[in-house]
Structures are given as structure tokens and as C-alpha cells.
Amino acid sequence: MDKTFSFKVKDELARLKLENLCCVRSELLGLLRAGAVLEVKQSGLQLIFTTESPSVVRRTFLLFKKISSLHIKISREPRRIHDHNLYSVRVDTQPGLKEFLIQLGFLKSDVYSEGTVMPRMECCRRSYLRGFFLGAGSITNPERSYHLELVTGNRRHATHLIRLCRGFDLRARRVERKDRQVVYLKEGDEIATFLTLIGAVTSRLEFENVRVIKGVRNQVNRLVNCETANLNKTVEAACRQLDAIRLLVAKMGLEGLPKPLREVARLRLEQPEATLKELGAQLNPPLGKSGVNHRLRKLEAMAAGLKEKGKKG
Ligand SMILES: [Zn+2]
């Protein structure tokens, strides 16, 4: 299944260990505020939370179980959205539900108004953001653009989220979309920080890798002749390879190169900015990153050999 980046981040978050009880409460509070619907019936309250992510459903269930003895039902909904299955967590009318929600801060003592409590400790503020992201957050694939958002129908919650982000030096902004409040981050650095804050360490690394590769591409495009100092390692390597290949081609022509090296050399010349993985994928048969690296090193060694000869001659 080709998962979106949002799904990956949520999968990772959903697997984090449940630590301090204070944080479990804060995460559940964030998650419910982000996505739960409270129904007030004659018989009592009912809470329903739906999500497209099976891991988020599991997480929600575990959060509840860790701090309550409420009876929780998980199910797959008959309807689908955006071609994804929809899952729900249901807490039906039962003794203790209202008290639990009040204690959690989701409800004020009055059933009809939402609580306004905000977590204070740093560990809990992070957990709250994690919960909110699990419930109503999304992040675009960094290959496309940098955008992370939290959506809520509640203006006050949006203001709180912005304040929480500011507390971590993140300049979150707000925009209104239909009747919803969208709190978002646009800067790559800030999104990376946010991912770390909420505990998505692996996703942050993946995010950073994409950023580096994109940055390298831009750099190589700007510095085609590789004459500028202070290049980073990846650009430096690409430049070294290009120099070597140009020298070899000048001396012996592409045809003069052994066949396995010829294709790699041609691809590198045509695509100075491509990553090793991308180059390898275009070979027939395809070659992994280290295989491509090995061939490029051979080309460099050949070029170095030619240079040595030239000096002696
Ligand atoms: Zn905490």
C-alpha cells in the first residue's frame, strides 16, 4: 500500500510507548478535542471518534484503557472516505463517562460546554500536540511541499494550539477554511521541530533526508561547474564524479569505458542532480545505491589513473 506521509507519521506516533499518566491524559484530551463528537441524548452521553487510520484507533483505545475502566468499542465503519476505510471508537452511555470527561478536561461540569483546560508541563504540552495531530493533523509529502496543519472547528482550541506552538518557538499561523480553523506550519525547519516534539523521530529523519536531497539538487543546478568552495559532501561527491567522467570521456570516449561503467557514466552526465538511488533505478537491470556508488568510484579511480599517467608522461 502506498501510504501518504501523514499516515506514516501517525503510524509511528501510534506505536510510541505510553509513558507518564499525565501525558496519556494530555494526549487523549488533544485527540478527543481534535476529532471526537459528543452526542447528548436523553439516556446520557455518547462519544464517537472516527479516523482513517487503524493505528490511531488502536492508540485511542489504549489511551482510554490506560486511564479508565470505561467500556470502549472499536469498529470499522460501513462508509469509506477518499477511498480509505473509516474506523471508529465508540464510548456508549455508561456510568462514569461524564465524570471521566470532566476530569480529563474535555467537558466543563456543564455537559454542553467544552473544557478549556490546557496542559502545563512540557511533557504534557508535547503529548497534547501529538494527540491533536493524531486526531486532526496532516502533513504533505515533503517531496511536494512543506506544510503541516491541525484542523479544528473550535476557535478557542485553535488559539490554544498557536500559543502552545509559540511556547516551542514555532510560528504557527491560522487561516479559516469554510467554517474550520486551520493552524499550520510552513517552514521546513519548524515542521521538523514539530515532528521531534511530538515524538515522530523516524519521520523527522525521513523528512530531513528529502530536504537534503532537494537542497542538493538545487545546489547542483546552480553550481554546474562545481567551482565553488564550501559544498556539502553529497554535492562534492557528485561534482567529483562529473569531473572524473568528463575527463574519461575526453580521453577515451564513452565507448572506451567498460560496459557496466558506461551506462552509469552516461546517466550521471545527463543527470548531475540525481541521487545514486535514482540513477540505479534507471539501469537495466536496476542497481542499488551501493552498487552505483561502487561503479562511480571505479570511474573516479580510472580518471585518477589517467591523471597520474598524464603527469608522468
Ligand atoms: Zn506529562
Side-chain angles (χ1 to χ4, degrees), residues 20-24 26 121-125 127:
N20 313 332
L21 289 184
C22 61
C23 296
V24 172
S26 303
M121 287 193 291
E122 189 190 318
C123 58
C124 296
R125 286 187 276 133
S127 304

Side-chain angles (χ1 to χ4, degrees), residues 48-50 57 73-77 86-90:
I48 302 163
F49 171 79
T50 51
V57 161
K73 274 193 282 189
I74 291 186
S75 57
R76 202 169 92 190
E77 296 287 286
L86 206 58
Y87 303 87
S88 67
V89 178
R90 243 168 245 274

Side-chain angles (χ1 to χ4, degrees), residues 64-95:
F64 266 114
K65 282 296 166 193
K66 185 92 180 170
I67 51 173
S68 82
S69 49
L70 292 167
H71 184 66
I72 316 288
K73 274 193 282 189
I74 291 186
S75 57
R76 202 169 92 190
E77 296 287 286
R79 68 200 161 100
R80 289 160 65 91
I81 49 169
H82 310 312
D83 221 28
H84 287 293
N85 286 321
L86 206 58
Y87 303 87
S88 67
V89 178
R90 243 168 245 274
V91 193
D92 287 328
T93 308
Q94 58 191 282

Side-chain angles (χ1 to χ4, degrees), residues 240-269:
R240 257 195 350 254
Q241 294 154 5
L242 282 169
D243 283 345
I245 295 166
R246 287 195 186 114
L247 177 74
L248 291 169
V249 171
K251 298 278 180 188
M252 55 208 305
L254 263 182
E255 304 70 38
L257 293 169
K259 208 174 161 202
L261 301 184
R262 198 186 301 157
E263 269 310 283
V264 174
R266 187 181 58 77
L267 284 171
R268 175 47 98 204
L269 280 177

Side-chain angles (χ1 to χ4, degrees), residues 18 24 27-28 31 59-67:
L18 298 184
V24 172
E27 185 175 327
L28 185 60
L31 197 137
R59 179 81 172 177
T60 312
F61 181 83
L62 292 175
L63 290 167
F64 266 114
K65 282 296 166 193
K66 185 92 180 170
I67 51 173

